[in-house]
Amino acid sequence: MAFAVLALWMATIYFPWWELADKENSLAILFTALQFPWRYLSLATVFLCFLTIYSIQKLEIHGHAWFQLQKAGTKIMFVLVIIQIIIVGTFFAEYSNTALVDRTLSATTDVMTDALYFPEGLSTDLLYDTSIHCDPRGAALIDKSGVNESNERLFFVDSVRDAYDVAFPIAYYKFLTAYAVEDGVYLETFAGYNQQLAVSLEPGFTGTIRISYCINWRWKAAYIVSALSAILLIVYSVRLKLRSSDGHSNESIK
């Protein structure tokens, strides 16, 4: 109940988000990780579902068998799922229509006009510039080799004559890596031309550079926690069901 109330509160304008706006402590990072406050409604829904079924179960345990848990629980869960489908469907229908209009009215771009996911300083006028920028110009021959099955970008570098910096047509973000395939080493990355991912190459370098995304270890840990939680919940439910079946069998024997 406490978590449900907290999640509902955080999804409203009455939660002091403005107090967290300029903070950089761990609490602010934790609360703002979901980015949009309305996403806390999903957490509230989960907590309220558990709370509803748990409350009905407790009522029956204490002799208030008004609901008949199995039947009522199934019906309640079914109704809640239907309501969620309607709400989510309506939201995405409205959002999709709005987004379509925004894209139609936004010149030639097909992206969010507020540049929410762009690195600071990136010029939206150059979004579709797919050229590779070298400094100094013409220091090497670079060709885009394509994309592999893991959605990693491949660039082939040939004839490096002088030490130089090269900026690829990929926005510079954390956790993007540049890997020299033939040498088997990771290259240091930094923000180059128009906040694009750049690397420094030494004279004589020849080979393929693979640019890929490396998942943050915190996210990997979160995936593991989620997977273990799901497994433990399934195991607990199965064991509870087996205990219930054994109990009914013993009563029948008696």
Side-chain angles (χ1 to χ4, degrees):
M1 181 184 296
F3 283 123
V5 171
L6 178 61
L8 288 172
W9 180 35
M10 295 178 69
T12 68
I13 61 174
Y14 302 105
F15 187 79
W17 290 109
W18 56 89
E19 296 291 342
L20 299 178
D22 299 324
K23 302 292 191 303
E24 295 184 359
N25 55 47
S26 56
L27 184 63
I29 294 174
L30 176 65
F31 280 176
T32 58
L34 292 185
Q35 192 177 32
F36 301 113
W38 53 261
R39 288 180 173 171
Y40 281 97
L41 291 175
S42 299
L43 295 177
T45 300
V46 174
F47 294 135
L48 289 172
C49 285
F50 277 105
L51 178 62
T52 301
I53 302 303
Y54 179 78
S55 300
I56 294 174
Q57 186 181 35
K58 282 299 181 181
L59 286 172
E60 291 195 348
I61 290 175
H62 291 285
H64 302 287
W66 304 328
F67 297 98
Q68 296 182 350
L69 178 61
Q70 295 297 330
K71 295 181 179 179
T74 302
K75 292 178 181 178
I76 292 173
M77 292 297 291
F78 180 76
V79 170
L80 288 175
V81 169
I82 293 298
I83 292 174
Q84 281 295 299
I85 292 175
I86 294 174
I87 294 174
V88 172
T90 302
F91 171 79
F92 279 105
E94 292 295 329
Y95 174 78
S96 299
N97 291 334
T98 304
L100 180 60
V101 173
D102 289 343
R103 288 197 295 268
T104 305
L105 298 177
S106 60
T108 58
T109 61
D110 191 32
V111 296
M112 297 180 66
T113 54
D114 60 359
L116 180 62
Y117 296 102
F118 298 145
E120 184 177 359
L122 185 145
S123 173
T124 55
D125 295 334
L126 302 175
L127 281 177
Y128 296 100
D129 182 6
T130 58
S131 57
I132 301 171
H133 293 267
C134 299
D135 184 23
R137 183 176 299 180
L141 300 176
I142 304 177
D143 293 321
K144 184 176 181 180
S145 303
V147 181
N148 62 15
E149 63 278 1
S150 300
N151 199 34
E152 298 170 324
R153 271 56 175 177
L154 303 175
F155 297 89
F156 181 73
V157 181
D158 188 21
S159 303
V160 175
R161 293 182 290 274
D162 302 305
Y164 77 106
D165 297 338
V166 54
F168 301 100
I170 300 173
Y172 177 71
Y173 295 103
K174 288 183 179 180
F175 311 117
L176 281 178
T177 61
Y179 182 73
V181 177
E182 286 77 12
D183 295 341
V185 296
Y186 284 95
L187 304 175
E188 183 179 355
T189 61
F190 55 91
Y193 169 80
N194 193 33
Q195 295 300 310
Q196 294 176 344
L197 184 140
V199 296
S200 295
L201 298 178
E202 298 296 328
F205 180 89
T206 298
T208 302
I209 295 178
R210 184 185 69 203
I211 298 178
S212 57
Y213 176 75
C214 180
I215 299 178
N216 185 353
W217 68 268
R218 295 184 182 88
W219 297 352
K220 291 182 179 180
Y223 295 154
I224 294 174
V225 170
S226 298
L228 290 177
S229 300
I231 293 172
L232 290 175
L233 182 61
I234 294 173
V235 171
Y236 173 76
S237 300
V238 171
R239 292 186 63 182
L240 197 63
K241 188 68 175 178
L242 292 176
R243 287 180 183 177
S244 178
S245 300
D246 292 341
H248 288 306
S249 300
N250 292 334
E251 289 181 4
S252 300
I253 294 174
K254 292 179 180 179

